[in-house]
């Protein structure tokens, strides 16, 4: 690997004008103790940095690039849309097409409102749930990340977990008090809370597969239990599928687990690598949004033609169910290959995975919630991360984030990654 001299110079320049030199905290590489590579371009499963290194990318812009970087059909769709104007702040046919496509792919979504990010989608879903139920309390789970709006930054995983920030300063206590966070996979704790405060609870929001404390799968019965309980107490169930939507299956987590939420929050893949978010669900609930109802939400760039074109092109490509069969196989192949190599050198790890997503936890214990995820050995992760980067494998720079695979992470790419792991483990 070539030294990161140019990237480090760019980082110094960035630090003078951008807080921490980055526009999103995890990118600063603080938890791995080095300067980040500055990226110049992506192509398929690869990223290239300013110093001339080529990496196999397992971050994929934190999920959206499921078809790999600069997919020709997505690029063409974006170019074509841009040539006709980038934003009108007015309705277009393409946004109707995108909404129709999502409703088809996720049959529980009867109506969809497009916004600009996953954070906005969750803000909207929360307001909608409160407006619909006329209750205030929200229940979330420790280590689940639902964007950076005030009400959700309690034990929120992702960048907060990486930075060791339990809750963000700047959030009024009165706002945090309206969110109750419970351990993931602990259905009994949810049931107890409902017994005490069921009449106050507007919604339970959950990542159906948690992917912001690393990947944590729902235990059998957990999602089903949440569904039954919310129905019993007439609260809403919200799935945050910003990461899992169109990734773990064509129809997302509901297709995999057979549990149907009242509302779903989407983002990432939905925009094919451009900013987008969406909240969708039953008409009965969705029609409470303005202008039909009096739950207000708006956005100048919502449904802009460029994000919509990229999203449509991406979802059309993902229509082929075989892509998901292959993605699942490749995820499994990578996880098994990594595990084999770790076992050979007697480094204990747990590898949690589902189609298109995995996390390597440096621990001997089963990881099923934030407490167990937090017990992983962060020093070992740091050495492993650095070893992999110097062997041209670009991993999330945090033990509490997911690795992402694209449909172009084929056998050759996985083989190359495992060879790099072999070399990296020799040097650490
Ligand atoms: N913590 C974010 C992913 N879960 C990082 C996003 C970014 O830095 O782009």
């Amino acid at each position: 690997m070539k030294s990161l001299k140019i990237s480090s110079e760019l980082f110094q320049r960035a630090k003078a004008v951008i807080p921490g030199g980055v526009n999103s905290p995890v990118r600063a590489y603080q938890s791995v103790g080095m300067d980040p590579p500055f990226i110049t371009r992506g192509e398929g499963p690869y990223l290239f940095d300013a110093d001339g290194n080529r990496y196999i990318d397992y971050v994929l812009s934190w999920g959206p690039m499921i078809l790999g970087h600069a997919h020709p059909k997505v690029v063409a769709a974006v170019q074509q849309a841009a040539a006709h104007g980038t934003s009108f702040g007015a309705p277009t046919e393409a946004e109707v097409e995108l909404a129709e496509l999502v409703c088809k792919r996720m049959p529980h979504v009867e109506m969809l409102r497009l916004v600009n990010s996953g954070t906005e989608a969750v803000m909207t879903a929360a307001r909608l749930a409160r407006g619909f139920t006329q209750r205030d309390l929200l229940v979330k789970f420790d280590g689940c990340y639902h964007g950076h709006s005030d009400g959700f930054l309690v034990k929120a995983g992702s960048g907060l977990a990486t930075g060791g920030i339990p809750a963000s300063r700047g959030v009024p206590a009165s706002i945090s008090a309206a969110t109750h966070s419970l351990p993931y996979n602990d259905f009994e704790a949810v049931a107890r809370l409902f017994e005490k405060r069921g009449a106050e609870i507007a919604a339970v929001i959950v990542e159906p597969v948690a992917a912001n404390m690393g990947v944590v799968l729902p235990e059998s019965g957990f999602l089903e239990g949440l569904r039954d309980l919310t129905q019993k107490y007439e609260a809403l169930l919200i799935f945050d599928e910003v990461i899992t939507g169109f990734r773990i299956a064509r129809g997302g987590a509901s297709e995999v687990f057979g549990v149907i939420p009242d509302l779903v929050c989407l983002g990432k893949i939905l925009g094919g690598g451009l900013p987008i978010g969406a909240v969708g669900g039953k008409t009965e609930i969705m029609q409470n949004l303005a202008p039909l109802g009096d739950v207000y939400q708006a956005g100048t760039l919502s449904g802009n033609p460029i994000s919509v074109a990229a999203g449509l092109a991406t979802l059309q490509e993902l229509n082929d169910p075989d892509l998901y069969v292959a993605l699942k196989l490749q995820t499994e192949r990578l996880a098994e290959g990594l595990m084999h190599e770790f076992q050979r050198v007697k480094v204990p790890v747990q590898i949690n995975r589902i189609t298109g997503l995995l996390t390597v936890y440096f621990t001997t214990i089963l990881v099923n919630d934030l407490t167990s995820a937090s017990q992983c050995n962060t020093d070992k992760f740091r050495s492993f991360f650095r070893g992999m980067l110097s062997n041209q494998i670009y991993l999330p720079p945090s033990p509490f984030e997911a690795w992402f695979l694209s449909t172009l992470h084929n056998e050759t790419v996985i083989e190359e990654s495992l060879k790099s792991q072999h070399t990296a483990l020799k040097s650490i």
Side-chain angles (χ1 to χ4, degrees):
M1 183 193 173
K2 294 180 189 126
S3 90
L4 293 176
K5 186 169 175 290
I6 299 173
S7 290
S8 290
E9 284 164 11
L10 286 169
F11 195 42
Q12 289 312 313
R13 228 176 97 196
K15 284 200 271 196
V17 285
I18 301 174
V22 288
N23 286 309
S24 193
V26 180
R27 297 178 200 177
Y29 274 40
Q30 271 176 352
S31 73
V32 289
M34 59 180 289
D35 291 350
F38 270 56
I39 303 306
T40 50
R41 73 186 180 91
E43 189 184 318
Y46 305 112
L47 276 186
F48 299 83
D49 73 14
D51 295 276
N53 293 297
R54 187 206 77 169
Y55 305 96
I56 295 177
D57 183 11
Y58 285 103
V59 177
L60 295 172
S61 186
W62 305 93
M65 314 316 302
I66 191 166
L67 301 175
H69 294 283
H71 187 282
K73 289 201 180 149
V74 179
V75 172
V78 168
Q79 283 170 337
Q80 210 184 355
H84 288 112
T86 56
S87 180
F88 312 121
T92 64
E93 186 176 347
E95 62 190 355
V96 183
E97 263 178 59
L98 185 59
E100 285 169 347
L101 210 153
V102 172
C103 293
K104 225 164 146 186
R105 209 139 305 171
M106 297 183 164
H108 59 286
V109 175
E110 295 169 359
M111 288 187 130
L112 186 79
R113 170 63 57 87
L114 290 180
V115 294
N116 295 292
S117 66
T119 294
E120 268 189 55
V122 170
M123 282 165 53
T124 306
R127 190 174 303 145
L128 192 50
R130 286 173 164 147
F132 181 74
T133 58
Q134 303 199 34
R135 300 171 180 176
D136 284 346
L137 194 61
L138 292 172
V139 179
K140 72 175 281 289
F141 295 96
D142 303 347
C144 282
Y145 181 69
H146 303 292
H148 63 275
S149 69
D150 281 353
F152 292 96
L153 290 182
V154 182
K155 296 190 184 167
S158 191
L160 287 96
T162 305
I165 305 169
S168 174
R169 198 146 53 86
V171 176
S174 57
I175 293 186
S176 311
T179 309
H180 207 100
S181 193
L182 295 170
Y184 195 78
N185 273 326
D186 188 347
F187 175 71
E188 292 309 319
V190 190
R192 281 196 299 272
L193 182 68
F194 266 93
E195 252 171 53
K196 272 201 217 136
R197 302 186 64 183
E200 295 167 64
I201 298 172
V204 173
I205 184 165
V206 65
E207 288 181 78
V209 173
N212 284 288
M213 48 178 148
V215 173
V216 175
L217 297 172
E219 285 171 353
S220 166
F222 179 58
L223 298 176
E224 293 83 348
L226 296 182
R227 178 64 290 182
D228 293 346
L229 205 57
T230 44
Q231 245 153 14
K232 181 172 160 202
Y233 285 88
E234 295 178 355
L236 300 189
L237 178 64
I238 306 172
F239 275 4
D240 182 338
E241 289 224 54
V242 169
I243 287 182
T244 51
F246 317 110
R247 171 166 288 279
I248 63 171
R250 225 166 133 265
S254 298
E255 185 181 310
V256 175
F257 299 105
V259 177
I260 305 298
D262 299 296
L263 291 174
V264 62
C265 298
L266 299 167
K268 298 202 190 263
I269 288 175
L270 180 68
L274 275 91
I276 209 165
V279 54
K282 294 175 185 157
T283 305
E284 187 199 359
I285 302 168
M286 293 299 292
Q287 68 190 4
N288 288 275
L289 278 179
L292 290 180
D294 49 11
V295 175
Y296 194 71
Q297 179 279 327
T300 299
L301 293 172
S302 296
N304 75 79
I306 315 297
S307 297
V308 166
L312 266 175
T314 301
L315 289 195
Q316 277 154 0
E317 279 303 292
L318 291 174
N319 198 27
D320 178 1
D322 288 348
L323 286 182
Y324 289 96
V325 176
L327 189 60
K328 182 173 184 188
L329 192 76
Q330 293 309 101
T331 311
E332 206 46 49
R333 197 166 266 158
L334 177 64
E336 287 298 324
L338 290 166
M339 184 56 107
H340 183 263
E341 197 57 33
F342 281 122
Q343 280 172 344
R344 196 186 57 79
V345 295
K346 301 194 170 41
V347 173
V349 295
Q350 301 283 331
I351 305 183
N352 287 0
R353 71 266 201 172
I354 193 165
T355 307
L357 284 175
L358 67 82
T359 294
V360 176
Y361 292 99
F362 288 85
T363 179
T364 49
I365 60 169
L366 183 86
V367 177
N368 62 356
D369 59 10
L370 184 61
T371 306
S372 45
S374 306
Q375 282 167 37
C376 72
N377 187 320
T378 50
D379 289 338
K380 277 193 185 147
F381 170 80
R382 189 179 307 116
S383 314
F384 176 64
F385 171 87
R386 294 174 69 136
M388 290 296 267
L389 192 76
S390 53
N391 285 282
Q392 267 120 334
I393 306 296
Y394 188 88
L395 302 179
S398 159
F400 307 114
E401 299 277 6
W403 302 23
F404 293 89
L405 279 82
S406 79
T407 55
L408 298 179
H409 284 64
N410 57 21
E411 239 172 285
T412 317
V413 173
I414 303 290
E415 273 317 302
E416 191 183 328
S417 307
L418 295 175
K419 273 193 197 136
S420 293
Q421 181 204 11
H422 184 87
T423 318
L425 288 180
K426 270 192 215 159
S427 62
I428 59 177

